[in-house]
Amino acid sequence: MPFLHPNRRTLLGGLAVLLTLPRAALSQEQLNVVATTGMIADATRQVGGDRVRVRALMGPGVDPHAYRQTRSDIAATAGSDLVLWHGLYLEAQLEEFLADMTRSRAVVAVANTLPREVLIAHDDYADRFDPHVWMVPHIWALVVDAVRDALIAADPDGAETYTANAAVHQTEIAALAAYATQTLATVPAAARVLVTAHDAFNYFGNAYGFDVVGIQGISTNSEAGVQRITELVDMLVSRQIGAVFVESSVSDRAMRALIEGAGAQGHEVTIGGTLFSDAMGEDGSYEGTYVGMIDHNVTTITRALGGTVADRGMQGRLAA
Amino acid sequence: MSAFWQALTFQAGYNATLVTLGAVLLGFAAGAVGSFMVLRKRALVSDAMAHATLPGVGLAFILMVALGGEGRNLAGLLAGSAITAGLGLLCVDWITRHTRLAEDAAIGAVLSVFFGIGIVILTMIQTMDGGRQAGLEGFLLGSTAGMLYADALVIAGGGALAVLAVWLLRRPMTMVAFDAGFAQAMGINVRRIDLAMMGLVMGVTVIGLKIVGLILIVALLIIPAVTARFWTERSGAMLWIAGALGALAGYLGAVLSTIAPAMPTGPIIVLIAAGLFLFSLLFAPLRGVAAAVIRHQRFQARVHRRQGLLALARLEPIHDPLTLRTLRRAGLIRADGVATDAGRAEAARAARDERRWDMARFAHQDTALTGRYDGLTPIDAVFTRDQIAGFDRLIGPPQGVQS
Amino acid sequence: MSTAQLSLATAAGQMIAPQPDPDAALSVRGLTVSYADKPAVFSVDASFAAGAMTAIVGPNGAGKSTLLKAALGVIPRLSGEVMVFGQPLAQARARIAYVPQRASVDWDFPTRVIDVVLMGMYRKLGLLGRVRIGHRNAARACLDRVGMADFATRQIGQLSGGQQQRVFLARALAQDADLYMLDEPFAGVDAATEAAIIAVLKSLRDEGRSVIAVHHDLATVADYFDRVLLLNVRRIAEGPIATAFTPAALQSTYGGRLASAQIDQLKLGRT
């Protein structure tokens, strides 16, 4: 820059050094991670700590079976270093998008790493599995490990931090698993039927000894017909089921029709509560974390079906 | 089979009965309202309006959630759908009046633009945190699994109002559909009647969103009406026949969808309506294809018989195979083509009839009567015996046909 | 103005505004109608005498149908006023019967001949009035008057052109009006129908009613009508056949497109 005054040159040079200082001072920069579901985002935050900046594509109340990427999603993903998604065909409408993203960054399906023995086969499709693995803490623990491994692979420098954080989070999850087992055991045998909007609770049912019945199938993209409603009404009446559950991310119209149908046969059914099936609660709230989500589900189910449980859940932190 | 019968007699359970009743009432209202739309030749405007409901549903949802309420209040959603549907209609109207575009281009433009906006709004809603999804995609093709008593009331009430309005306005709407210029001169406000008709269509569309959805409601409006056309030649009857056909399609479609697992109600109803149309197209006694074919065959047979007989009378050789076949079957000629006794007698009669017609056209003045000669009508169907006797005097005695 | 001056002025193409006639069956003043910013009818003043048969005559595109429709309010007018028997159009509608062009209707419409005639009785029946024997008999009488009594239950799609025209006329007769306005009633009909229709129209006139008809056949104007309005976007001439239907006026109306031989053949008035 021949025309610049020598003093200005010095000033500019000084500024340049100054600007690089903070970068040099931070011995690491944050890993930019995009997660599809809120649950994965939560796990990533717990394991990643300060080393990661996480963005969840799907917020509270969003249905992952039907979700399609928006333009801002594409932009966020393009600027990310690592994409963590669930797999097991949960994000049915995002497969193509994620395949595209694989070309220029690490994309890991964290639930795909689960051993086949823990998975439940899909009712309708031969090679597919029920994706709702987060519903049972000790299975989700395996996914948390997969998240940890993905973070380590993307950012080897942070291996120690990630391992330590993961261990802490695993302790929380173990406590949650114990709480769930104990609490749900208090529900009387006759009342152990969980009726929900879609088949999101198969793992739950298997693990804790509940019959689970969803109006829709494993994916909310399947259409429920009136015949299904009629079937379920008959079941509600014959098994004298008193409470059913709506889900935060699925329309509750079919459930209300079910209740009306049972009412027409003289059998009163109430809504036992709202469960977090495919998405967590409000961002920033206790229910907006994985632990809070499961805590809420377990507590709500137990209370509605006649079991014994503290009003505000495992740690007394549930919303009143 | 017994499940089918149960469903038919409203014994398949509360939910199934609700859906079936709603479908019947909707089908009737759609058939009746659609008839006038078809007669007025504005059937596709209803498709534009139906597609224009989508942004209204989405916006109503967003508004209700923003105001802190339940996003899924049906009355609110339907009100929103009605508003944008009305807007769509006004757009089509405005474009047709104030630009050079023809109505079909205006319809296409409005339909796609409004529907596109609606899809964008739905996509925005899927990422909204607050407010549960109201199952808004269910308005595209209908979602009867979640049908509540309140929904059935809306459909019953709205449908009844629509049918009442159709009945009250049947005369001016018929006159406007048949001859709008004459109606206007009579003092009927054609524009207002057209708006009323389209308003009724919009009403039926809105109440049908739940059962058949916005994509297919136009089928339920149009198909029963055009099916009814095959069964009657009077517009008054067409109206009620279309309603009955729509109700029948709704009834059977709903019943079928309630007993089979996971069958969508709306498309089944439309398929049944289409089946009724196909059946009517082929087999309706007045205007059906089969009836037309039979009529044509019979007519052909009469013509060939007449021509054959006249040829026999004039001792001309007959070459046409169909003529020969017709005469042979009637026992008027033998296998070798020679006339039988009966054939000769018939031929003589046909020739005389022909001569009488010639004389009538020559001698008689009234063209209303002589104009009825078409080669097949016998003269004694048109003229009196005295008149025929008069012609006979001019012709001379009857002549036999030589063998 | 003397008649000589009148025809001179007409021949020169000047517009002469006649005095408004309060006894006229129909009177229009300053009527202008346009399609897409082009005038189809421009500032027309005309007065159609009561109790007479008046023909509206002019070349294609002269605005004859437009004038009729605008006078009836069937199409909107840009400007001008319309009086029927001295009253505004809205108040006098009950006294007018309109026979539109046959081609303006889809004849495949599902309706019978008798139903079409009954449409003419809408004023009496209203939205909900029941159709009684009296109404049906009156409708049949109208059909009989036009020679279509045997066709009452026939589908209109099965009728010939002349029969359709007669049904339209019967529908107008059913209105029992004082003023009948017909748009090309003789277009595409057979000779027998034409004779029948003109007979009915003349009998209407003899009953003291008024008839205005857009007419396309110059050769029959003098035979059929008492008065004529010559129109080519603007009013060219108007009045009794004797004074208005002149060679000069015709040349003016048809823009010189009529050969003098053609004009000689017509039965014209003499100035």
Side-chain angles (χ1 to χ4, degrees), chain B residues 118-338:
Chain B
I119 293 290
V120 167
I121 294 179
L122 276 194
T123 315
M124 277 167 47
I125 288 178
Q126 74 157 359
T127 60
M128 273 171 63
D129 294 346
R132 271 173 219 144
Q133 278 69 28
L136 296 182
E137 320 75 45
F139 284 119
L140 288 174
L141 284 173
S143 62
T144 49
M147 180 119 163
L148 304 174
Y149 184 66
D151 303 338
L153 279 182
V154 166
I155 293 176
L161 276 177
V163 171
L164 183 67
V166 159
W167 185 73
L168 283 176
L169 293 176
R170 71 198 182 287
R171 276 193 197 138
M173 289 209 281
T174 308
M175 289 177 66
V176 165
F178 175 59
D179 189 349
F182 178 78
Q184 182 76 38
M186 262 281 196
I188 296 175
N189 188 326
V190 169
R191 187 162 153 70
R192 256 191 231 147
I193 293 290
D194 274 341
L195 279 177
M197 194 185 308
M198 282 339 226
L200 285 177
V201 168
M202 184 172 78
V204 167
T205 303
V206 161
I207 65 176
L209 285 180
K210 183 102 188 107
I211 294 193
V212 295
L214 62 93
I215 295 182
L216 290 177
I217 186 68
V218 67
L220 204 56
L221 283 163
I222 297 182
I223 298 182
V226 299
T227 309
R229 187 71 185 88
F230 284 103
W231 293 94
T232 179
E233 303 280 14
R234 302 179 59 177
S235 57
M238 178 174 158
L239 190 59
W240 304 119
I241 293 178
L245 287 169
L248 183 64
Y251 177 58
L252 289 177
V255 159
L256 277 178
S257 80
T258 56
I259 62 172
M263 267 230 234
T265 309
I268 299 290
I269 294 178
V270 170
L271 282 177
I272 303 260
L276 290 171
F277 169 75
L278 207 59
F279 177 80
S280 305
L281 172 73
L282 294 174
F283 301 115
L286 283 172
R287 288 165 61 106
V289 165
V293 165
I294 292 174
R295 260 199 308 272
H296 180 71
Q297 305 273 36
R298 285 212 195 117
F299 180 72
Q300 223 183 13
R302 282 178 66 200
V303 167
H304 281 270
R305 180 191 168 105
R306 177 84 169 187
Q307 286 178 341
L309 288 174
L310 289 177
L312 282 180
R314 296 189 204 120
L315 301 176
E316 285 165 3
I318 302 171
H319 298 298
D320 188 283
L322 183 55
T323 313
L324 289 170
R325 234 198 336 262
T326 312
L327 291 175
R328 217 173 284 141
R329 260 202 218 117
L332 300 171
I333 56 173
R334 294 196 318 240
D336 59 1
V338 173

Side-chain angles (χ1 to χ4, degrees), chain A residues 76-118:
Chain A
T77 317
S80 70
D81 304 311
L82 174 66
V83 175
L84 295 177
W85 58 298
H86 188 87
L88 293 182
Y89 212 55
L90 176 68
E91 302 98 330
Q93 315 298 333
L94 292 182
E95 302 258 310
E96 227 181 272
F97 163 61
L98 292 166
D100 278 344
M101 291 293 123
T102 313
R103 284 193 255 118
S104 33
R105 66 195 50 67
V107 175
V108 182
V110 292
N112 274 355
T113 61
L114 291 174
R116 290 286 169 268
E117 312 89 65
V118 307

Side-chain angles (χ1 to χ4, degrees), chain A residues 199-253:
Chain A
D199 273 339
F201 292 87
N202 284 332
Y203 290 95
F204 182 97
N206 263 14
Y208 303 112
F210 279 76
D211 284 337
V212 291
V213 181
I215 297 179
Q216 285 175 297
I218 286 181
S219 166
T220 54
N221 291 325
S222 64
E223 185 70 35
V226 179
Q227 202 221 20
R228 180 90 178 122
I229 302 286
T230 311
E231 256 175 35
L232 292 181
V233 165
D234 289 339
M235 187 204 72
L236 288 180
V237 172
S238 62
R239 294 181 69 169
Q240 288 291 298
I241 296 168
V244 297
F245 300 88
V246 295
E247 298 173 29
S248 69
S249 56
V250 179
S251 165
D252 63 348
R253 291 208 127 244

Side-chain angles (χ1 to χ4, degrees), chain C residues 224-238:
Chain C
Y224 290 169
F225 296 93
D226 312 319
R227 302 173 65 90
V228 69
L229 166 68
L230 290 159
L231 185 71
N232 190 348
V233 184
R234 295 160 115 78
R235 176 201 117 102
I236 307 295
E238 187 226 332

